[in-house]
Amino acid sequence: MTDQTLTLAFGADHAGLALKNALVAWAQTQGHVVHDLGTHGTESVDYPDFAHPVCREVESGAARFGVLVCGTGLGMSYAANRHAAIRCALVSETTSARLARQHNDANMLALGGRMIGEEIAIDILRSFLAATYEGGRHDRRIAKIAPQP
Ligand code: RB5
């Protein structure tokens, strides 16, 4: 169990299903509230159909953080980062997961279900959730990420 209970939203396509389910199960063991927005089956689906609803939960505050899983994590990250209020970090190791929170105030993670194993993915999510945004100079840089014409 963690000392801080969070609401986490999860989404995956067919290629991310197994890893998403593993992360959902882990998050529940930690005491977090889980919103599993699918997919729930192995049939082929389109990753943006699952990315956008998770982003909306984070944007609305219904979830504090979102986690997206597809085959590479790439498509999910592209879709998520079209949302102005979303900073979705595609990572495959724990240092980037920690820095995504500390320096970039990331509010979503994208993971590749065909790229990394379950144990690494759980370590990534644990590192992401344990880290705290440092603010300061990073506020200015994040403000400059704003969509460009
Ligand atoms: C599905 O085959 C695959 O393209 C998708 O999961 C993802 O990797 C896209 O970025």
Side-chain angles (χ1 to χ4, degrees):
M1 293 281 283
T2 59
D3 49 358
Q4 192 190 15
T5 298
L6 299 166
T7 299
L8 307 176
F10 290 81
D13 70 358
H14 53 288
L17 173 68
L19 186 56
K20 182 264 291 174
N21 288 344
L23 292 168
V24 162
W26 176 81
Q28 288 169 332
T29 69
Q30 300 305 299
H32 298 305
V33 176
V34 167
H35 295 175
D36 182 352
L37 305 187
T39 189
H40 300 291
T42 55
E43 70 280 4
S44 181
V45 292
D46 298 336
Y47 54 82
D49 294 339
F50 297 87
H52 295 308
V54 172
C55 291
R56 284 185 211 110
E57 286 233 333
V58 174
E59 289 169 320
S60 72
R64 174 63 184 90
F65 297 113
V67 180
L68 298 170
V69 192
C70 63
T72 58
L74 286 165
M76 285 294 200
S77 67
Y78 300 151
N81 284 312
R82 300 292 289 180
H83 293 247
I86 296 298
R87 288 175 298 283
C88 180
L90 169 60
V91 304
S92 56
E93 36 73 33
T94 55
T95 304
S96 294
R98 173 175 57 80
L99 288 168
R101 287 289 304 126
Q102 291 177 334
H103 287 192
N104 310 121
D105 199 17
N107 49 16
M108 294 195 39
L109 269 179
L111 302 169
R114 292 173 175 164
M115 302 294 127
I116 59 173
E118 191 177 306
E119 197 163 343
I120 291 175
I122 289 170
D123 282 346
I124 285 170
L125 182 54
R126 184 189 289 110
S127 300
F128 183 85
L129 297 178
T132 303
Y133 177 52
E134 293 176 354
R137 68 192 185 281
H138 301 297
D139 286 342
R140 181 181 69 247
R141 294 165 184 167
I142 289 170
K144 292 182 179 180
I145 297 174
Q148 303 296 302

